[in-house]
Short mmCIF file of all heavy atoms in Angstrom, two decimals:
data_model
loop_
_atom_site.label_atom_id
_atom_site.label_comp_id
_atom_site.label_asym_id
_atom_site.label_seq_id
_atom_site.Cartn_x
_atom_site.Cartn_y
_atom_site.Cartn_z
N VAL W 63 -0.33 15.19 8.52
CA VAL W 63 0.86 14.51 8.00
C VAL W 63 1.21 14.99 6.60
O VAL W 63 2.39 15.07 6.23
CB VAL W 63 0.66 12.97 8.02
CG1 VAL W 63 0.44 12.48 9.43
CG2 VAL W 63 -0.49 12.54 7.11
N ALA W 67 4.85 16.65 5.62
CA ALA W 67 5.67 16.13 4.52
C ALA W 67 6.03 17.21 3.50
O ALA W 67 7.05 17.10 2.81
CB ALA W 67 4.95 14.98 3.83
N ARG W 72 11.79 15.39 4.13
CA ARG W 72 11.12 14.09 4.04
C ARG W 72 12.03 12.94 4.45
O ARG W 72 11.56 11.93 5.00
CB ARG W 72 10.58 13.90 2.62
CG ARG W 72 9.47 14.89 2.28
CD ARG W 72 9.24 15.01 0.78
NE ARG W 72 8.22 16.02 0.50
CZ ARG W 72 8.00 16.54 -0.72
NH1 ARG W 72 8.76 16.17 -1.74
NH2 ARG W 72 7.06 17.45 -0.89
N ILE W 75 11.95 12.82 8.17
CA ILE W 75 10.66 12.29 8.63
C ILE W 75 10.68 10.76 8.60
O ILE W 75 10.27 10.09 9.55
CB ILE W 75 9.51 12.83 7.76
CG1 ILE W 75 9.35 14.34 7.96
CG2 ILE W 75 8.19 12.12 8.09
CD1 ILE W 75 8.36 14.98 7.02
N CYS W 76 11.19 10.19 7.49
CA CYS W 76 11.27 8.73 7.38
C CYS W 76 12.20 8.16 8.44
O CYS W 76 11.91 7.11 9.03
CB CYS W 76 11.74 8.35 5.98
SG CYS W 76 10.54 8.66 4.66
N PHE W 117 2.66 9.32 9.40
CA PHE W 117 3.62 10.36 9.02
C PHE W 117 4.60 9.87 7.96
O PHE W 117 5.06 10.64 7.12
CB PHE W 117 4.39 10.83 10.26
CG PHE W 117 3.63 11.79 11.12
CD1 PHE W 117 2.87 11.34 12.19
CD2 PHE W 117 3.65 13.15 10.85
CE1 PHE W 117 2.15 12.23 12.99
CE2 PHE W 117 2.95 14.05 11.64
CZ PHE W 117 2.19 13.59 12.71
N GLU W 118 4.93 8.57 8.02
CA GLU W 118 5.94 8.04 7.10
C GLU W 118 5.42 7.93 5.67
O GLU W 118 6.14 8.26 4.71
CB GLU W 118 6.39 6.66 7.57
CG GLU W 118 7.46 6.05 6.66
CD GLU W 118 7.46 4.53 6.69
OE1 GLU W 118 6.40 3.93 6.96
OE2 GLU W 118 8.51 3.95 6.40
N MET W 119 4.20 7.46 5.48
CA MET W 119 3.72 7.11 4.14
C MET W 119 3.74 8.27 3.15
O MET W 119 4.29 8.13 2.05
CB MET W 119 2.32 6.48 4.24
CG MET W 119 2.33 5.09 4.86
SD MET W 119 0.68 4.40 5.14
CE MET W 119 0.13 4.19 3.44
N PRO W 120 3.17 9.45 3.47
CA PRO W 120 3.23 10.54 2.48
C PRO W 120 4.65 11.03 2.23
O PRO W 120 4.99 11.37 1.09
CB PRO W 120 2.36 11.63 3.11
CG PRO W 120 2.29 11.32 4.56
CD PRO W 120 2.38 9.83 4.65
N ALA W 121 5.48 11.07 3.27
CA ALA W 121 6.88 11.50 3.08
C ALA W 121 7.62 10.49 2.21
O ALA W 121 8.40 10.86 1.33
CB ALA W 121 7.56 11.66 4.43
N ASN W 122 7.39 9.22 2.45
CA ASN W 122 8.05 8.16 1.71
C ASN W 122 7.65 8.18 0.24
O ASN W 122 8.49 8.00 -0.66
CB ASN W 122 7.70 6.80 2.34
CG ASN W 122 8.58 5.69 1.83
OD1 ASN W 122 9.80 5.74 1.97
ND2 ASN W 122 7.98 4.69 1.24
N GLN W 123 6.36 8.41 -0.03
CA GLN W 123 5.90 8.46 -1.40
C GLN W 123 6.37 9.73 -2.11
O GLN W 123 6.74 9.69 -3.29
CB GLN W 123 4.37 8.40 -1.44
CG GLN W 123 3.80 7.06 -0.98
CD GLN W 123 2.28 7.09 -0.87
OE1 GLN W 123 1.62 7.93 -1.47
NE2 GLN W 123 1.73 6.18 -0.09
N ALA W 124 6.38 10.85 -1.40
CA ALA W 124 6.72 12.13 -2.02
C ALA W 124 8.21 12.27 -2.29
O ALA W 124 8.61 13.08 -3.14
CB ALA W 124 6.25 13.28 -1.13
N ILE W 125 9.04 11.50 -1.63
CA ILE W 125 10.49 11.64 -1.80
C ILE W 125 10.97 10.98 -3.09
O ILE W 125 11.99 11.38 -3.67
CB ILE W 125 11.22 11.04 -0.58
CG1 ILE W 125 12.63 11.62 -0.46
CG2 ILE W 125 11.31 9.53 -0.66
CD1 ILE W 125 13.36 11.15 0.79
N LEU W 126 10.25 9.97 -3.58
CA LEU W 126 10.72 9.20 -4.73
C LEU W 126 10.99 10.04 -5.98
O LEU W 126 12.04 9.88 -6.61
CB LEU W 126 9.72 8.07 -5.03
CG LEU W 126 10.09 7.14 -6.18
CD1 LEU W 126 11.43 6.46 -5.92
CD2 LEU W 126 8.99 6.09 -6.38
N GLY W 337 3.34 15.89 -0.57
CA GLY W 337 3.05 15.32 0.74
C GLY W 337 1.57 15.29 1.02
O GLY W 337 1.01 14.26 1.42
N SER W 340 -0.20 12.92 -1.45
CA SER W 340 0.09 11.53 -1.10
C SER W 340 -0.67 11.10 0.15
O SER W 340 -1.14 9.95 0.24
CB SER W 340 1.60 11.34 -0.89
OG SER W 340 2.32 11.55 -2.08
#
Side-chain angles (χ1 to χ4, degrees):
V63 299
R72 294 162 183 166
I75 293 173
C76 290
F117 281 93
E118 181 207 27
M119 290 174 67
N122 193 59
Q123 293 173 21
I125 202 175
L126 181 59
S340 295

